[in-house]
Amino acid sequence: MNTFKIIKYTSEYYNLWNDFVAKAKNATFLFHRDFMEYHSDRFVDYSLLIFDEKENLIALLPANKVGNELFSHQGLTYGGLVLDSNCKLADVIQLNYQLLNYLFDAEIIKLHLKIIPTIYNLFPADEMEYISFLLQAKLTRRDAIAIVELANKIVPSRVRKRGIETGEKHQLKIIEETSFDLFWNELLLPNLAQKYQTKPIHSLEEILYLKSKFPELIRQFNVYFENKIVGGVTVFVTKNVVHPQYISGNKAFNTKYGGLDFLYNHLINNVFNDYKYFDFGISNENNGLQLNESLHYWKESFGARTIVQNFYEIETKNYVKLNQVLI
């Protein structure tokens, strides 16, 4: 069996970590340390770097620790083991044997993984799905994600087309902005407070900071009717995927102006048409056990179809189950 060296992340590995993320086969800018650390005060970071026998960095685990359990970083939408494109399945099996053994010796009893959805991968990267099976991992959650494959679009429904026509009729204007203040303060914050008694995951200060670090990857599009903002969307852009992180509008935005249909049509067919996927996000509640049918149907009526994201709970003591896998 190959021998791997596992090291806890410290700031001295900042450049090495980020350089690896930039070329890994299943990573996005969310794994960059500047993104991970904007909310470092909320988490006990326990991220790991994994090196092969030749001291080459071959994998990362963005993670945080809670008690005696380790989590795919809870400040990120997805995670799991980030792999070099040259990693073979046998390498990842042996790597996991030693990783879980390392965690077991550190008295961490469980590892919670939230696998990155396949559309975000640059190359096939389902190793952890297979290894989770070998480890008899517990599937704790499965979310349904609605996506549009942009090179192979399904025609939107007549209802969506009418919404797009309504937006055109009202002469809505979509403008990409460098500022988030108007959208955050006039729409997003008051709407979330009124409808859900909550706040966005990112404060205005945090999203401005992240925008300064990733100016081409976090983009803001506002919708105007007669020069007044009526809606908007904050978009996260990765190499393969475009994902609306926040969407909000005033009362008339969708019911009267057809704004949401008009806005998404513009993003899908004009701004981001050259990307691979448009990710509408999940429509689940209660850890995937319930589906917001009307919300998911709306996404499907735009031509979206479903993939899933899996969440696993692995007992670190089960590392022994990987010992006899390779024959």
Side-chain angles (χ1 to χ4, degrees), residues 20-32:
F20 185 87
V21 165
K23 64 183 181 181
K25 70 174 182 175
N26 59 337
T28 72
F29 76 95
L30 272 67
F31 299 148
H32 192 286

Side-chain angles (χ1 to χ4, degrees), residues 40-311:
S40 58
D41 57 316
R42 304 178 207 170
F43 302 98
V44 178
D45 191 90
Y46 203 97
S47 298
L48 301 172
L49 302 93
I50 304 170
F51 298 83
D52 66 13
E53 294 171 324
K54 297 180 180 179
E55 299 291 318
N56 297 313
L57 180 60
I58 62 166
L60 303 173
L61 181 64
N64 68 283
K65 187 170 179 280
V66 179
N68 58 359
E69 300 185 13
L70 195 66
F71 292 79
S72 278
H73 203 290
Q74 291 172 298
L76 304 178
T77 309
Y78 41 72
L81 206 61
V82 181
L83 298 169
D84 182 87
S85 59
N86 291 317
C87 260
K88 308 299 189 296
L89 178 58
D91 300 326
V92 186
I93 291 171
Q94 294 178 70
L95 183 160
N96 271 274
Y97 174 87
Q98 293 179 46
L99 170 62
L100 293 172
N101 191 359
Y102 171 91
L103 296 176
F104 181 76
D105 289 343
E107 299 184 340
I108 294 173
I109 62 172
K110 291 181 181 179
L111 171 62
H112 300 265
L113 292 180
K114 47 183 169 183
I115 306 297
I116 185 170
T118 55
I119 56 173
Y120 288 88
N121 298 334
L122 299 184
F123 300 101
D126 270 356
E127 290 89 350
M128 286 311 301
E129 291 283 1
Y130 176 61
I131 292 169
S132 295
F133 158 72
L134 296 175
L135 291 165
Q136 297 180 1
K138 179 182 179 181
L139 179 65
T140 58
R141 173 176 166 182
R142 175 173 283 159
D143 285 338
I145 304 172
I147 67 162
V148 171
E149 187 177 8
L150 295 173
N152 188 29
K153 298 188 188 83
I154 296 173
V155 177
S157 71
R158 289 194 298 270
V159 175
R160 297 285 72 78
K161 290 180 179 179
R162 284 200 296 270
I164 296 166
E165 291 168 357
T166 300
E168 293 171 346
K169 176 184 175 182
H170 284 91
Q171 297 183 326
L172 297 182
K173 292 183 179 180
I174 300 172
I175 300 176
E176 182 170 5
E177 310 279 10
T178 56
S179 171
F180 294 82
D181 298 53
L182 194 61
F183 174 68
W184 235 256
N185 292 325
E186 293 202 16
L187 296 176
L188 186 62
L189 287 173
N191 284 348
L192 287 177
Q194 181 181 358
K195 294 179 181 179
Y196 306 107
Q197 296 76 53
T198 189
K199 295 179 180 180
I201 295 171
H202 306 93
S203 68
L204 178 58
E205 292 73 20
E206 288 170 342
I207 202 69
L208 289 172
Y209 166 79
L210 292 173
K211 172 69 172 179
S212 72
K213 294 293 183 179
F214 309 99
E216 304 300 321
L217 306 180
I218 300 177
R219 300 170 65 177
Q220 178 65 37
F221 297 86
N222 290 346
V223 186
Y224 295 89
F225 175 67
E226 295 181 346
N227 297 319
K228 179 177 174 57
I229 187 170
V230 293
V233 62
T234 307
V235 178
F236 283 10
V237 182
T238 64
K239 293 176 182 177
N240 285 345
V241 184
V242 178
H243 171 61
Q245 180 70 19
Y246 296 111
I247 179 77
S248 197
N250 67 12
K251 188 174 181 179
F253 177 57
N254 205 41
T255 57
K256 181 178 179 181
Y257 303 140
L260 193 54
D261 294 343
F262 184 77
L263 173 57
Y264 275 145
N265 177 70
H266 177 71
L267 296 178
I268 290 170
N269 291 302
N270 297 324
V271 182
F272 299 110
N273 189 48
D274 292 335
Y275 284 76
K276 287 187 177 181
Y277 302 102
F278 189 90
D279 174 7
F280 279 93
I282 69 171
S283 307
N284 297 102
E285 299 175 14
N286 192 19
N287 284 332
L289 293 174
Q290 293 178 301
L291 179 73
N292 185 326
E293 182 181 4
S294 61
L295 175 60
H296 204 71
Y297 173 78
W298 180 86
K299 298 170 183 177
E300 290 175 328
S301 69
F302 233 114
R305 292 299 181 262
T306 302
I307 64 168
V308 299
Q309 179 184 14
N310 290 327
F311 298 69

